[in-house]
Amino acid sequence: MEALDYHAEERRKAEFDVEEMKIVWAGSRQAYEISDRVARLVASDPVFRKDNRTMLSRKDLFKDTLRKAAHAWKRIIELRLSEEEASKLRFFVDQPVFTDLHWGMFIPAIKGQGNEEQQQKWLPMAYKMQIIGCYAQTELGHGSNVQGLETTATFDPETDEFVIHSPTLTSSKWWPGGLGKVSTHALIYARLITDGQDHGVHGFIVQLRSLDDHLPLPGITVGDIGMKFGSGAYNSMDNGVLRFDHVRILRDQMLMGVSQVTREGKFMQSDVPRQLVYGTMVYVRQKIVADASCALSRAVCIATRYSVVRRQFGSHNGGPETQVIDYKTQQSRLFPLLASAYAFRFVGEWLKWLYTDVTQRLQASDFSTLPEVHACTAGLKSVTTSATADAIEECRKLCGGHGYLSSSGLPELFAVYVPACTYEGDNVVLLLQVARFLMKTVSQLGSGKKPVGTIAYMGRSEHLLQCRCEVERAEDWLKPNVILEAFEARAARMSVTCAKNLNNFANQEEGFAQLATDLAEAAVAHVQLIIVSKFIEKLQQDIPGKGVKRQLEILFNVYALSLLHKHLGDFVASGCITPKQGALANEQLRLLYSQVHFDNPSLLLYMVLLLERLLQSTSF
Ligand SMILES: CCCCC/C=C\C/C=C\C/C=C\C/C=C\C/C=C/C(=O)SCCNC(=O)CCNC(=O)[C@H](O)C(C)(C)COP(=O)(O)OP(=O)(O)OC[C@H]1O[C@@H](n2cnc3c(N)ncnc32)[C@H](O)[C@@H]1OP(=O)(O)O
Ligand SMILES: Cc1cc2nc3c(=O)[nH]c(=O)nc-3n(C[C@H](O)[C@H](O)[C@H](O)COP(=O)(O)OP(=O)(O)OC[C@H]3O[C@@H](n4cnc5c(N)ncnc54)[C@H](O)[C@@H]3O)c2cc1C
């Protein structure tokens, strides 16, 4: 049977309503219709072709990218696409490009950290793309340590200006996307200095290039930092280097939404947390979680199609060889990745809600959920991108030799995706931020301050430290409450143990440094609990369509039990489950794999419907 006939056969065998499942994946019928419409628009437009990307030189790739970006903008205007449709179109063009940063960071930063006048001045030009902006925070010497940035912005009361300067080689801005060739402006993060006093890092809008001839302005040295990982991939982006030699800007070019400098040069810190200067990073981190589910679903689509079509060994009496998807080892490697794509999809939907909620609260000067939002966005960005990067590599291996061919789509997908573990915050550094939040929560348990939200379980830690999971048979692991309690007990015990061990150190900072690895692991346990709990909440919603909820329940159990199996040591060490119960969980997982198999190609193939037009380079 031809591969495509087989796919059609597999779809027909689906035990669930594939059309309804597409809507679950998209988040709503409207979102699905927009995605499908824009995906067809991109796939049918030869300008957006991607199959030649890995064969182009860096220069031709960059020209091709600019051509696509210009064509995308033209189509957005011609078709009067909405902001959501335009964002989808940029996403489906699927090539790192300067507009990612203009729309994804430069504009959000002005909206989040600029005052009303600054938004009115800069946003209309940015929306019309009369100016192109980038987000220039990282320097050659500092990326993770934002408070270590060296670029200076010194207020000159004589002229009512800031002098932007790069005092050292390591203060050179290094990495900002869009900086190397395209951006006319940058959002520069620099040390604010007034009257000799250093007020820490703040944002400044600085023009880099002339709007007439695009040449760098006086005092500006700017360029591209060169080839990056792999051919094609992120080389379509002009990540750049930038140095300032006493460049003067007007005082009103400091973003004044969070803090201000008066005409007299007085620094005014509004009664808002200084960390709002980090707000754009929080915004992008929550977007990256949803993006992880998309990248992961692409890789899993490719690996599933291969696994369904590929046959190897097992022929009897000249009959067909065995489909590799029937091998238990292939299933145990592939199906948890399929389940993870859904898990990240759903937690990404929830995180978008959490971010929207905190944005509304901030407008009412309610900062109460800011710490939790920081911990959730940092932790989920870290855990989902690390898992997705590993999963794309696993999908390459699941496809045998073909997975290493560019035409499989996997090498390019891997090369474009893996920097997500670094940009918007190194994943370990972000886990340590989560750990800081967990330790602060544990330290306050006796204070009467009741933990709420995603950390509420910590308020039940006394019970959780004693609890024993009620599992006597494999099928007991199919109960969401049993799984949830196991994950809560593991997370609570790992955090409480770290807190106890920290008390053995006279100096908390020294303890934190010595126990950093344990703290990072406790952070992962906390974040995985969030993902599991949000999957359960999704399943508690009304999910229409024949068999759709049943399939999602199977995927939930595959996701949770494969994690439990992978981290069995943590669970057993926390005392909440016994080795025998761990073995029963693994037994249940094996049973689940056989159920996922019969529907798996349909589950995945409908995602292929949405994405195969985009994976034009996938040739098998
Ligand atoms: C290409 C595909 C893209 C997919 C995404 C799709 C769409 C996205 C849209 C657009 C983006 C497009 C492309 C994205 C791709 C590439 C672009 C990449 C851009 C970048 O990489 S920008 C630079 C990113 N850099 C970082 O993330 C730096 C990481 N470091 C930090 O954040 C900070 O240095 C730190 C680690 C948090 C430490 O900060 P520090 O001031 O020293 O604070 P601490 O002393 O550690 O803590 C003090 C206190 O503050 C709290 N805190 C810290 N951060 C925050 C925060 N962000 N919000 C709220 N609260 C915060 C912390 O918890 C402490 O609180 P305590 O109560 O414990 O005191
Ligand atoms: C493709 C790409 C695009 C980017 N785009 C932009 C952009 O548009 N704008 C921008 O401003 N930046 C951008 N960046 C830069 C990016 O934000 C930084 O690279 C990132 O924040 C990591 O910082 P770093 O490079 O200093 O890594 P480092 O912090 O030097 O990390 C190196 C190692 O040190 C470890 N480490 C560091 N601190 C600690 C600690 N306290 N405890 C334990 N371990 C630690 C890390 O875990 C890591 O293993 C981009 C980067 C890439 C790769």
Side-chain angles (χ1 to χ4, degrees):
M1 179 187 286
E2 280 302 308
L4 286 179
D5 296 348
Y6 183 92
H7 289 169
E9 178 56 26
E10 285 292 302
R11 285 192 190 99
R12 272 194 293 278
K13 280 185 349 189
E15 290 179 14
F16 62 92
D17 184 331
V18 174
E19 295 306 310
E20 285 296 337
M21 185 64 90
K22 294 182 204 175
I23 289 160
V24 168
W25 177 262
S28 69
R29 186 175 299 279
Q30 185 200 2
Y32 169 71
E33 287 167 357
I34 288 174
S35 271
D36 192 55
R37 184 165 66 248
V38 175
R40 292 175 192 281
L41 177 72
V42 171
S44 61
D45 189 329
V47 174
F48 293 133
R49 67 177 287 208
K50 299 190 300 177
D51 54 351
N52 63 343
R53 222 163 41 181
T54 54
M55 278 82 85
L56 297 174
S57 69
R58 172 87 195 281
K59 191 170 183 178
D60 289 340
L61 175 66
F62 189 68
K63 285 179 180 175
D64 176 59
T65 306
L66 290 182
R67 194 178 306 116
K68 282 176 180 161
H71 186 63
W73 182 238
K74 180 167 166 282
R75 296 298 281 151
I76 288 167
I77 301 292
E78 282 170 353
L79 300 172
R80 299 175 186 274
L81 297 187
S82 67
E83 194 170 326
E84 184 179 1
E85 290 167 326
S87 174
K88 275 291 174 197
L89 190 142
R90 284 192 286 270
F91 169 75
F92 283 136
V93 169
D94 183 32
Q95 205 155 315
V97 60
F98 68 91
T99 45
D100 294 344
L101 284 306
H102 175 76
W103 294 99
M105 296 198 79
F106 181 72
I107 286 175
I110 296 170
K111 289 167 74 174
Q113 299 162 45
N115 62 24
E116 199 57 43
E117 297 79 9
Q118 291 171 323
Q119 293 185 43
Q120 286 167 10
K121 174 181 177 182
W122 294 101
L123 289 179
M125 292 187 285
Y127 280 131
K128 293 175 194 154
M129 295 189 81
Q130 290 166 339
I131 62 173
I132 306 287
C134 63
Y135 184 92
Q137 175 179 292
T138 301
E139 296 174 352
L140 197 57
H142 295 92
S144 293
N145 179 9
V146 177
Q147 288 311 314
L149 295 177
E150 298 175 86
T151 302
T152 55
T154 307
F155 183 64
D156 179 352
E158 295 300 312
T159 61
D160 197 23
E161 295 170 320
F162 288 107
V163 179
I164 309 294
H165 185 57
S166 306
T168 59
L169 176 67
T170 48
S171 66
S172 308
K173 291 300 177 185
W174 186 271
W175 271 115
L179 172 64
K181 294 286 183 189
V182 181
S183 291
T184 61
H185 289 68
L187 195 55
I188 301 294
Y189 283 82
R191 314 203 67 80
L192 169 63
I193 297 168
T194 65
D195 193 20
Q197 191 179 354
D198 183 330
H199 302 287
V201 172
H202 294 267
F204 301 81
I205 299 179
V206 183
Q207 185 170 350
L208 308 176
R209 294 181 168 97
S210 158
L211 296 183
D212 298 321
D213 58 17
H214 204 62
L215 291 175
L217 296 177
I220 302 278
T221 305
V222 62
D224 188 89
I225 62 173
M227 283 293 279
K228 294 162 289 249
F229 189 96
S231 62
Y234 225 91
N235 289 301
S236 54
M237 177 73 80
D238 55 327
N239 299 91
V241 53
L242 166 66
R243 286 182 59 75
F244 297 100
D245 180 4
H246 301 92
V247 173
R248 287 180 171 270
I249 62 172
L250 299 176
R251 177 164 56 88
D252 78 354
Q253 288 177 239
M254 168 184 166
L255 292 185
M256 303 259 196
V258 177
S259 46
Q260 302 81 33
V261 171
T262 66
R263 174 64 192 86
E264 297 69 36
K266 183 172 172 18
F267 173 69
M268 309 282 285
Q269 173 73 45
S270 311
D271 56 350
V272 297
R274 74 169 172 83
Q275 286 82 9
L276 290 186
V277 166
Y278 296 163
T280 309
M281 294 186 278
V282 175
Y283 162 73
V284 177
R285 288 169 190 160
Q286 63 92 20
K287 298 274 282 185
I288 285 173
V289 174
D291 183 69
S293 68
C294 292
L296 178 50
S297 70
R298 290 181 175 187
V300 172
C301 275
I302 297 167
T304 297
R305 295 181 76 192
Y306 175 89
S307 302
V308 163
V309 172
R310 182 72 167 181
R311 289 175 178 276
Q312 203 72 194
F313 296 112
S315 165
H316 300 292
N317 307 323
E321 293 181 67
T322 302
Q323 288 169 274
V324 296
I325 201 164
D326 282 340
Y327 290 120
K328 283 298 175 194
T329 48
Q330 193 84 354
Q331 292 175 9
S332 66
R333 292 157 63 197
L334 176 60
F335 293 169
L337 306 187
L338 163 64
S340 299
Y342 281 81
F344 296 172
R345 193 76 176 169
F346 299 148
V347 79
E349 277 177 8
W350 168 79
L351 193 61
K352 182 178 177 184
W353 167 84
L354 184 73
Y355 181 79
T356 306
D357 177 68
V358 77
T359 306
Q360 289 162 355
R361 290 169 181 262
L362 293 180
Q363 282 159 5
S365 299
D366 171 359
F367 309 114
S368 59
T369 61
L370 200 56
E372 180 180 30
V373 172
H374 170 47
C376 287
T377 49
L380 285 165
K381 181 270 180 187
S382 178
V383 167
T384 58
T385 56
S386 290
T388 299
D390 293 346
I392 298 170
E393 166 60 2
E394 188 62 27
C395 287
R396 178 190 67 78
K397 291 185 279 188
L398 282 161
C399 295
H402 296 324
Y404 196 62
L405 276 172
S406 279
S407 58
S408 76
L410 287 165
E412 178 80 353
L413 181 57
F414 182 78
V416 167
Y417 189 78
V418 291
C421 299
T422 305
Y423 61 57
E424 288 314 338
D426 166 81
N427 281 353
V428 169
V429 169
L430 294 182
L431 286 178
L432 294 174
Q433 284 292 305
V434 177
R436 179 170 177 151
F437 171 74
L438 292 170
M439 291 306 103
K440 189 166 187 179
T441 302
V442 174
S443 70
Q444 293 171 343
L445 287 179
S447 68
K449 184 181 176 189
K450 191 166 179 290
V452 294
T454 53
I455 198 76
Y457 69 95
M458 214 62 98
R460 291 182 278 111
S461 54
E462 274 193 37
H463 157 71
L464 289 169
L465 298 188
Q466 311 298 329
C467 82
R468 297 291 176 268
C469 284
E470 294 175 17
V471 167
E472 292 171 4
R473 302 164 305 157
E475 53 267 39
D476 290 339
W477 279 116
L478 297 178
K479 298 171 191 166
N481 62 312
V482 170
I483 288 178
L484 186 60
E485 185 171 66
F487 275 77
E488 288 181 339
R490 168 214 184 196
R493 197 172 293 255
M494 291 176 77
S495 281
V496 169
T497 303
C498 282
K500 282 180 181 159
N501 292 340
L502 274 174
N503 291 335
N504 298 333
F505 292 84
N507 174 322
Q508 282 290 292
E509 201 168 321
E510 170 62 14
F512 205 92
Q514 291 301 319
L515 297 175
T517 303
D518 304 63
L519 286 159
E521 289 171 2
V524 169
H526 171 70
V527 174
Q528 287 177 341
L529 165 59
I530 294 174
I531 299 171
V532 163
S533 68
K534 296 312 170 188
F535 207 146
I536 291 172
E537 286 177 17
K538 182 70 179 181
L539 293 174
Q540 288 165 345
Q541 293 174 14
D542 175 31
I543 298 176
K546 175 182 81 73
V548 171
K549 187 163 188 171
R550 173 77 192 112
Q551 285 305 315
L552 294 174
E553 285 166 349
I554 291 171
L555 290 175
F556 164 71
N557 284 304
V558 167
Y559 177 72
L561 295 182
S562 57
L563 271 187
L564 189 147
H565 179 65
K566 180 179 178 183
H567 297 279
L568 190 56
D570 289 346
F571 286 89
V572 172
S574 66
C576 60
I577 75 169
T578 64
K580 180 171 179 1
Q581 289 172 326
L584 289 173
N586 200 29
E587 180 187 329
Q588 183 53 57
L589 202 48
R590 281 197 300 273
L591 294 171
L592 285 163
Y593 289 154
S594 55
Q595 293 175 48
V596 174
H597 168 58
F598 292 107
D599 300 320
N600 177 289
S602 318
L603 263 185
L604 264 293
L605 295 181
Y606 91 78
M607 276 203 262
V608 171
L609 281 177
L610 184 59
L611 296 172
E612 65 187 357
R613 290 185 295 276
L614 301 167
L615 298 175
Q616 288 158 344
S617 59
T618 303
S619 66
F620 60 88

